[in-house]
Amino acid sequence: MIDARVKFRHLQTFVEVARQKSVVKAAELLHVTQPAVTKTIRELEEVLGVAVFEREGRGIRLTRYGEVFLRHAGAALTALRQGLDSVSQERSGDGPPVRIGALPTVSTRIMPRAMTLFLKEETGARIKIVTGENAVLLEQLRVGDLDLVVGRLAAPDRMTGFSFEHLYSEQVVFAVRAGHPLLSGRQSVFAHLSDYPVLMPTRASIIRPFVERFLIANGIPGLPNHVETVSDSFGRAFVRSSDAIWIISTGVVATDIEDGLLATLPIDTSETRGPVGLTMRTDAIPSLPLSILMQTIREAAGATMAKT
């Protein structure tokens, strides 16, 4: 039987603090005071009989018990949101919302075709597509703010409570503008890499470990002149207007390369290959519109890979 002392505010506050890893940030987003957040968490811990957070440097992190409770608290909030959405949809006649997190590697290459196919089905569903770093999207998926994340498979320690369906594999490339000096082949790319600005994936991105290992394996422990970014619009504009080198997943720049706007340096990066696919919560039951969208994503991915 559910303890009557556990209220909605306990779950909402706990999940938000877990997402933000900060009482201060959670209080701002919940529009309550910091002491109110602290009091709510203490009440929850009294009910559970264990601590759900512990200090880590200047911040906080989930305890082992907190990680266990987060999976269920997130699922509970998701179920409640879905219930509220369902009632609202029944009253308004709208289809159920489908909320997708798309990593940059699929945002330009797979999702446009998938959405074209999906819209032809005329489900009436409202669609929301957001993009960003994998860690952020997975956290939104975990707490129920997203229904599906499309992109590279995350590290094993981040996949607890998630399932993954593999669609295809892709690798990282070193993209440059057409006519870049290193495309001539007269200079060693690795010997002259530090002579140019380099755009690197951020430390929170999935491909960063692959990139770092690849560079180290080729005698480059670090790059003094680099910029970290997950913005494909900035990366595309900066590389096309300079001699910068963009280390990025193939999918992000595939269309630019096909159109001749960008080119890839002659480097074998096959060891950076990784799986791309669909990530969902293991306890989630896809709605009909979501199931249809997942199928159109599969079809779009299959058609795209058939061209390469």
Side-chain angles (χ1 to χ4, degrees):
M1 186 174 182
I2 298 175
D3 195 313
R5 292 174 293 171
V6 178
K7 309 295 184 184
F8 174 76
R9 63 182 175 85
H10 291 115
L11 300 181
Q12 185 182 38
T13 302
F14 167 73
V15 168
E16 199 59 55
V17 173
R19 285 181 61 183
Q20 303 301 326
K21 297 180 176 61
S22 166
V23 170
V24 175
K25 292 180 180 178
E28 291 176 355
L29 290 170
L30 294 171
H31 304 293
V32 297
T33 64
Q34 183 179 342
V37 171
T38 301
K39 180 175 181 290
T40 301
I41 295 299
R42 285 177 179 168
E43 290 174 353
L44 178 62
E45 290 179 331
E46 288 176 6
V47 175
L48 296 176
V50 294
V52 291
F53 293 104
E54 61 186 3
R55 294 208 167 276
E56 182 181 45
R58 296 183 178 180
I60 58 174
R61 67 177 181 183
L62 287 166
T63 64
R64 178 164 58 92
Y65 299 108
E67 291 177 353
V68 172
F69 188 67
L70 178 61
R71 292 199 293 271
H72 300 286
L77 288 178
T78 299
L80 181 57
R81 288 192 187 100
Q82 290 174 343
L84 294 172
D85 286 342
S86 296
V87 172
S88 176
Q89 291 147 19
E90 282 294 322
R91 294 181 62 185
S92 64
D94 290 338
V98 179
R99 300 159 301 179
I100 307 299
L103 270 69
T105 188
V106 299
S107 293
T108 57
R109 195 180 194 188
I110 304 299
M111 292 307 296
R113 181 181 178 87
M115 281 306 305
T116 299
L117 295 173
F118 177 78
L119 292 174
K120 290 179 180 179
E121 298 295 327
E122 298 183 350
T123 65
R126 291 175 288 118
I127 305 296
K128 177 182 178 181
I129 299 178
V130 299
T131 190
E133 291 184 340
N134 180 258
V136 175
L137 296 182
L138 285 185
E139 195 56 40
Q140 291 177 338
L141 178 64
R142 189 180 302 281
V143 301
D145 289 342
L146 293 176
D147 301 307
L148 175 73
V149 171
V150 190
R152 270 220 185 197
L153 173 64
D157 62 327
R158 293 184 178 275
M159 288 299 293
T160 303
F162 295 134
S163 63
F164 179 80
E165 178 185 336
H166 178 249
L167 296 178
Y168 62 93
S169 294
E170 71 171 9
Q171 63 200 57
V172 169
V173 295
F174 287 54
V176 295
R177 65 170 176 81
H180 191 281
L182 289 179
L183 288 173
S184 66
R186 293 191 294 269
Q187 305 178 64
S188 166
V189 172
F190 293 115
H192 292 85
L193 201 60
S194 60
D195 296 341
Y196 302 93
V198 177
L199 298 186
M200 287 275 288
T202 63
R203 296 188 182 279
S205 67
I206 294 179
I207 64 172
R208 179 61 177 258
F210 292 87
V211 172
E212 289 181 335
R213 286 195 294 269
F214 180 77
L215 291 174
I216 291 172
N218 286 278
I220 304 175
L223 293 167
N225 190 20
H226 76 273
V227 177
E228 295 186 3
T229 182
V230 291
S231 171
D232 55 320
S233 56
F234 165 73
R236 187 171 288 106
F238 186 60
V239 169
R240 288 177 59 182
S241 62
S242 71
D243 284 338
I245 300 169
W246 191 9
I247 305 178
I248 191 67
S249 294
T250 305
V252 178
V253 293
T255 302
D256 302 274
I257 293 171
E258 291 172 3
D259 293 342
L261 300 175
L262 296 179
T264 58
L265 294 180
I267 304 172
D268 180 6
T269 58
S270 57
E271 63 189 81
T272 65
R273 288 179 69 83
V276 176
L278 311 176
T279 300
M280 292 184 62
R281 293 185 306 278
T282 53
D283 61 353
I285 301 176
S287 64
L288 178 59
L290 178 57
S291 297
I292 293 173
L293 179 56
M294 290 170 67
Q295 182 57 34
T296 64
I297 293 172
R298 295 184 189 104
E299 293 175 12
T304 300
M305 291 304 104
K307 294 180 180 179
T308 59

